[in-house]
Amino acid sequence: MIRIILIGYMGAGKTTVGKALAAELGVPFYDLDWFITTRYRRSVPEIFAERGEEGFRDLEHRMLHEAAEFEDIVLSCGGGTPCFYDNMDYMNSLADTIYLKAAPEVLAMHLKMGKGRRPLIEGKSHEELEVYIQESLQAREPYYSKAKYTLDVSLLDNESKIQESVRLIREMLKV
Ligand code: S3P
């Protein structure tokens, strides 16, 4: 049985790598944010606006318990998922968890484009974004580092990043 959960900061490539990995392994791919937004028929920014971050974390926690119970899946979760409730221990108890680790500069570069879809960084200038990433990454690292495996994606060459990540993950997990 294959149950792989990708964790890591916003912009680390969890969804992109997760999709490619699932396709290679021939199993379905799920994205926790997608699961939440489909179930509640609201976008992530709408949920933050209506229920606050606390409300979002509650839904995220509940949806994680549904999504992570599926067998033979690759699941990517949100950047904050491991850092609330006992989510990280829960994920470790039933899946191969992989931390896609990237340096703050790499994350800032990736996030420049998708800021509007992410309420925590919306409206920040490039400088503010870099400071925010540095500080919150440091706060989140203790949770992320609980993952069973870590893959440092900032060291990979840009061109072949996705294929190389998939190859390295398969090698680590022997799948
Ligand atoms: C968040 C990350 C987002 C999404 C929400 C909060 C976070 O997911 O869950 O905006 O706290 O880091 P991605 O990591 O897929 O962007």
Side-chain angles (χ1 to χ4, degrees):
M1 198 255 290
I2 291 173
R3 192 189 273 133
I4 299 170
I5 304 185
L6 300 181
I7 66 155
Y9 203 83
M10 293 176 271
K14 301 180 294 285
T15 306
T16 321
V17 172
K19 272 185 190 161
L21 177 65
E24 271 217 19
L25 296 175
V27 298
F29 168 76
Y30 286 99
D31 178 272
L32 190 58
D33 276 342
W34 177 86
F35 215 76
I36 299 167
T37 55
T38 310
R39 176 67 58 86
Y40 291 91
R41 294 199 218 111
R42 296 269 186 289
S43 67
V44 172
E46 280 167 352
I47 297 174
F48 266 74
E50 286 171 16
R51 302 173 184 239
E53 180 173 357
E54 211 177 309
F56 175 78
R57 298 304 172 192
D58 177 50
L59 300 186
E60 182 180 50
H61 175 67
R62 285 193 263 155
M63 289 299 103
L64 174 67
H65 277 250
E66 283 192 34
E69 298 286 331
F70 290 127
E71 296 192 346
D72 289 316
I73 52 151
V74 174
L75 172 71
S76 76
C77 49
T81 315
C83 316
F84 292 84
Y85 302 95
D86 59 349
N87 291 349
M88 195 61 225
D89 293 333
Y90 169 71
M91 292 190 274
N92 274 334
S93 74
L94 81 183
D96 283 326
T97 48
I98 306 174
Y99 170 25
L100 294 191
K101 186 173 176 148
E105 311 79 70
V106 175
L107 296 169
M109 213 166 59
H110 290 176
L111 285 171
K112 256 200 242 166
M113 318 288 279
K115 274 193 294 196
R117 285 180 283 113
R118 293 171 161 114
L120 294 176
I121 55 171
E122 196 185 355
K124 291 199 192 310
S125 69
H126 190 68
E127 289 71 34
E128 288 168 337
L129 182 63
E130 280 193 349
V131 173
Y132 178 80
I133 292 174
Q134 243 148 29
E135 288 174 356
S136 53
L137 186 58
Q138 203 172 13
R140 287 176 169 192
E141 193 67 38
Y143 298 94
Y144 293 162
S145 60
K146 280 182 160 186
K148 293 181 186 169
Y149 303 88
T150 296
L151 178 66
D152 197 329
V153 290
S154 16
L155 301 173
L156 302 178
D157 157 53
N158 261 331
E159 287 292 301
S160 55
K161 214 166 211 166
I162 301 167
Q163 294 92 317
E164 191 60 2
S165 303
V166 170
R167 193 186 66 74
L168 289 168
I169 290 172
R170 295 191 69 175
E171 204 174 275
M172 278 194 305
L173 269 56
K174 300 181 178 56
V175 289

